[in-house]
Amino acid sequence: MSSFAQRCGIQDAAREQAVRRLGRLLGEQGTELVRISWCDLHGVLRGKTLVASAVERALREGVGLVSTLMLKDTSDRTAFKVFEPGGTATLPGFGNAPNLMLLADPESFQQLPWTPSSGWLRAQPWFQDGQPVELDTRRVLQRALAKLADAGYTMKCGLEVEFHVYKLKDAQPQLDPMLAAWPGPAPEVSLVHPGYNLLAEGWYDLAEEPLRIVQHTAQALGLPLLSLEVELGPSQVEAVFEATDALTAADNMVLFRNAVKMALRRAGYHATFMCRPPFPNIMSSGWHLHQSLLDARTGRNVFRREAPEPGTDVTHAAHTLSALGEHFLAGLLAHARGMTVFCTPTANGFGRFRPNALAPQSVLWGRDNRGAMLRVIGACGDEATRIENRIGEPAANPYLYFASQVHAGLDGIARGLKAPPATDAPYAGAGESLPTSLGDALAALQADAVLCEAFGRDFVAYFTRIKQSEQQRFEAAEDPDEFQRREYFARF
């Protein structure tokens, strides 16, 4: 009888060899437990922990996972009425909360550095009939990258991620059973550095203990960490990673974000990728995405220009970017409002879009300008020429963030769009404004026909329904700050 992986069409000879090889490795390393993990809509890892002896079978037959995990908003409430007639009419296969099946990639195995004798595997969900769950966000990016490959390109991404690390005062009130709630209270914390002294070595020294944990965790997981830095805000830090292909970069972001939170928690720290932690005088955290396209055949950076286009100056995209690079840039601008909710998906993140805050306010690009939404970096003949999108928050689901860039950029290429002149005054009121709330951003997505078609209208309807649940609860909250403390600071 065929295995579930065979019925899904993924169990070839190479995968079977990898399954057996992993089985031997688990025995040789003395691994006792393996976490089979899947990335949910909000970029958070979920899954089950198996004893090592059960892993090989799970790689062939799958692991059951309740399907409502795909229907949760940020509070873990199910946004669809799965037990009511018609409640999942737009979501075939989800009615009455059946199981999905997780199939892990045996090549993704990691030995977890912060917990003894424990391993980790990345998985994706399948329906029990062997069909892929197309709403899975990693598949959304895989489809976008396949479309990019059909056009002859691959995508290269570099991650520059700001976040906050705090010292836990104690486990209370989160673990006090008398205070349990849905969501529960946020942890009580203190700063690891006082801030407002950007890149100060003295502040780095204060924060070195948790940053060492971040360093050792990332490196033990094989993540291409380049630097750790003290940012401007109190307790704010930044991690920068070497550029990789887009799918690897997205996988790395999911693993990094979840791993450092767990490793730091065990050492008495709380890491949050919430954009604006719930304290006075904080600085917003951004996730700056560096991106370029490569020729799939030669590996050449197709954004690179050898010489400025005649008659241009630095305010023209064609002075720095190739014609294709300009089209991609223009596509990002054309769909900026529609893509915003994939880049900044929480109600909290929109507080970052403020003037003179190194964060964008308007749909503008600039030549090496950190106030603009899109920053063009590089020069003629520079193989590292790229576009930096500064609209993202660090809590974003990377698969959706990246997919939005691919779809917007490809539309710019397909239509041969031209970019407007670069800005040198990003906060002067020029350019179309970015959405100012989660509700506005969802409306902008629904109004963008190109992105709706590219992501698939079924996915957009599903995503919008879940994010509207979050937005409605935020608008109804008696205390919006407490809502954000519980909903984002404690969980993200």
Side-chain angles (χ1 to χ4, degrees), residues 35-156:
R35 301 179 187 182
I36 308 293
S37 293
W38 154 77
C39 177
D40 74 5
L41 183 70
H42 311 290
V44 176
L45 286 178
R46 313 253 193 167
K48 294 189 175 181
T49 300
L50 277 59
V51 296
S53 60
V55 170
E56 281 195 61
R57 175 177 171 79
L59 287 167
R60 298 186 184 97
E61 301 298 340
V63 176
L65 184 84
V66 62
S67 58
T68 54
L69 283 176
M70 291 197 68
L71 311 180
K72 301 290 189 183
D73 65 14
T74 48
S75 73
D76 230 45
R77 289 175 171 84
T78 302
F80 291 79
K81 299 183 184 300
V82 296
F83 297 112
E84 294 185 10
T88 56
T90 59
L91 298 173
F94 284 86
N96 296 316
N99 263 2
L100 302 174
M101 302 300 292
L102 289 180
L103 277 174
D105 177 2
E107 302 285 4
S108 68
F109 179 75
Q110 296 276 5
Q111 195 77 35
L112 297 180
W114 66 86
T115 179
S117 306
S118 292
W120 178 91
L121 287 166
R122 183 184 58 250
Q124 288 182 260
W126 299 75
F127 289 112
Q128 294 182 58
D129 63 1
Q131 294 301 307
V133 180
E134 298 295 350
L135 298 178
D136 172 50
T137 59
R138 192 171 190 266
R139 284 198 175 92
V140 170
L141 177 57
Q142 287 171 317
R143 290 196 298 273
L145 294 175
K147 187 176 178 181
L148 189 64
D150 288 343
Y153 309 112
T154 63
M155 189 180 204
K156 188 174 183 180

Side-chain angles (χ1 to χ4, degrees), residues 66-365:
V66 62
S67 58
T68 54
L69 283 176
M70 291 197 68
L71 311 180
K72 301 290 189 183
D73 65 14
T74 48
S75 73
D76 230 45
R77 289 175 171 84
T78 302
F80 291 79
K81 299 183 184 300
V82 296
F83 297 112
E84 294 185 10
T88 56
T90 59
L91 298 173
F94 284 86
N96 296 316
N99 263 2
L100 302 174
M101 302 300 292
L102 289 180
L103 277 174
D105 177 2
E107 302 285 4
S108 68
F109 179 75
Q110 296 276 5
Q111 195 77 35
L112 297 180
W114 66 86
T115 179
S117 306
S118 292
W120 178 91
L121 287 166
R122 183 184 58 250
Q124 288 182 260
W126 299 75
F127 289 112
Q128 294 182 58
D129 63 1
Q131 294 301 307
V133 180
E134 298 295 350
L135 298 178
D136 172 50
T137 59
R138 192 171 190 266
R139 284 198 175 92
V140 170
L141 177 57
Q142 287 171 317
R143 290 196 298 273
L145 294 175
K147 187 176 178 181
L148 189 64
D150 288 343
Y153 309 112
T154 63
M155 189 180 204
K156 188 174 183 180
C157 293
L159 310 182
E160 188 178 321
V161 187
E162 296 167 347
F163 58 107
H164 290 78
V165 179
Y166 297 92
K167 180 73 174 176
L168 285 166
K169 289 185 176 179
D170 54 47
Q172 305 296 345
Q174 280 195 306
L175 301 183
D176 184 342
M178 300 302 293
L179 298 178
W182 190 358
E188 297 178 1
V189 297
S190 59
L191 300 174
V192 299
H193 72 77
Y196 301 111
N197 202 358
L198 181 64
L199 299 181
E201 283 206 24
W203 281 189
Y204 183 91
D205 203 56
L206 278 176
E208 184 172 15
E209 182 178 64
L211 288 177
R212 287 277 188 172
I213 295 170
V214 174
Q215 171 213 336
H216 293 154
T217 301
Q219 291 179 328
L221 294 170
L223 304 181
L225 181 68
L226 290 177
S227 69
L228 292 168
E229 302 168 13
V230 164
E231 268 294 335
L232 180 60
S235 251
Q236 189 179 40
V237 299
E238 181 179 64
V240 179
F241 295 85
E242 187 175 351
T244 66
D245 70 274
L247 187 60
T248 297
D251 289 339
N252 287 347
M253 180 61 172
V254 171
L255 183 56
F256 171 76
R257 197 164 52 191
N258 285 272
V260 299
K261 283 180 67 67
M262 287 183 279
L264 284 167
R265 176 83 194 195
R266 286 185 175 230
Y269 296 94
H270 177 69
T272 180
F273 292 82
M274 175 186 187
C275 177
R276 293 180 56 78
F279 305 110
N281 302 316
I282 56 91
M283 293 293 293
S284 301
S285 288
W287 172 10
H288 306 146
L289 175 60
H290 296 254
Q291 56 191 308
S292 58
L293 296 188
L294 308 183
D295 184 292
R297 183 176 57 84
T298 66
R300 180 181 61 87
N301 181 352
V302 295
F303 285 2
R304 170 179 165 175
R305 174 177 282 279
E306 295 306 322
E309 184 173 288
T312 65
D313 59 35
V314 292
T315 66
H316 296 91
H319 193 79
T320 305
L321 294 172
S322 67
L324 186 138
E326 179 179 4
H327 299 330
F328 194 93
L329 174 72
L332 295 179
L333 292 169
H335 299 288
R337 286 180 52 82
M339 74 166 66
T340 296
V341 75
F342 294 124
C343 310
T344 294
T346 72
N348 171 264
F350 291 87
R352 176 171 166 261
F353 299 154
R354 299 182 176 189
N356 303 304
L358 295 177
Q361 262 195 312
S362 304
V363 181
L364 299 167
W365 77 275

Side-chain angles (χ1 to χ4, degrees), residues 385-465:
T385 297
R386 61 198 184 274
I387 299 169
E388 177 191 15
N389 191 336
R390 298 177 63 83
I391 199 175
E393 67 167 321
N397 180 315
Y399 302 118
L400 300 181
Y401 190 175
F402 292 11
S404 72
Q405 309 303 284
V406 172
H407 291 313
L410 278 177
D411 182 61
I413 293 171
R415 293 197 284 151
L417 297 181
K418 293 286 189 178
T423 183
D424 60 1
Y427 302 116
E432 191 175 17
S433 295
L434 290 168
T436 57
S437 71
L438 178 55
D440 289 346
L442 289 169
L445 170 62
Q446 291 171 309
D448 192 317
V450 170
L451 287 185
C452 286
E453 289 298 324
F455 276 90
R457 292 192 176 273
D458 288 345
F459 179 83
V460 170
Y462 153 77
F463 174 84
T464 300
R465 172 80 170 267

